[in-house]
Amino acid sequence: MQDDSARFKITQLTDTGTSVTLALAEDVELEPVSQQQMMLEAVDRSIVDKEVKEQVKPILEAILRSQPQTVVRSYSRTVIQMTMPKRRYEKLGSPRVGQVLTVDIRLA
């Protein structure tokens, strides 16, 4: 049996009176990375000759500075939508949008 516990932030809440639907997105904080930074790091990894790297890097930096900076998020979040009876939702403490829930996912 495999266990995985993850934190999910409530992004949307729909209350129909008899049931409640929660839209949850994985609560992961990411550091934004620019495409420019990723390309410079790739050059650092792929060129082993120090002299060639010193010649190529300033040219590449100049080219990349003239391009619009695009921020990349390199992790796609898991999204869950769940509907439950309103009574069960109230037993959870009636969490609101923006609050974080821990969800245990277990393989049966």
Side-chain angles (χ1 to χ4, degrees):
M1 178 153 60
Q2 186 177 356
D3 293 346
D4 189 18
S5 177
R7 294 169 43 100
F8 288 85
K9 185 176 283 187
I10 300 173
T11 58
Q12 185 178 2
L13 188 143
T14 307
D15 185 347
T16 65
T18 57
S19 65
V20 176
T21 301
L22 301 175
L24 309 172
E26 194 170 8
D27 186 35
V28 178
E29 290 187 31
L30 301 173
E31 180 179 323
V33 178
S34 70
Q35 282 184 320
Q36 295 163 342
Q37 182 180 349
M38 290 172 57
M39 290 174 79
L40 290 170
E41 289 172 1
V43 168
D44 274 343
R45 285 190 306 269
S46 61
I47 299 176
V48 291
D49 188 309
K50 187 177 178 181
E51 287 182 35
V52 172
K53 194 182 293 188
E54 288 175 359
Q55 292 173 0
V56 170
K57 201 167 179 183
I59 297 168
L60 184 58
E61 286 174 349
I63 293 169
L64 291 174
R65 265 194 298 258
S66 69
Q67 301 297 314
Q69 194 170 32
T70 305
V71 175
V72 177
R73 297 210 179 260
S74 59
Y75 181 85
S76 50
R77 297 175 183 206
T78 301
V79 178
I80 296 175
Q81 183 171 339
M82 64 171 65
T83 302
M84 65 184 76
K86 188 162 185 174
R87 183 132 171 94
R88 182 165 189 183
Y89 169 75
E90 290 169 347
K91 284 183 180 181
L92 289 174
S94 301
R96 310 307 294 164
V97 171
Q99 288 186 296
V100 176
L101 301 175
T102 300
V103 178
D104 290 323
I105 302 170
R106 298 175 189 217
L107 182 60

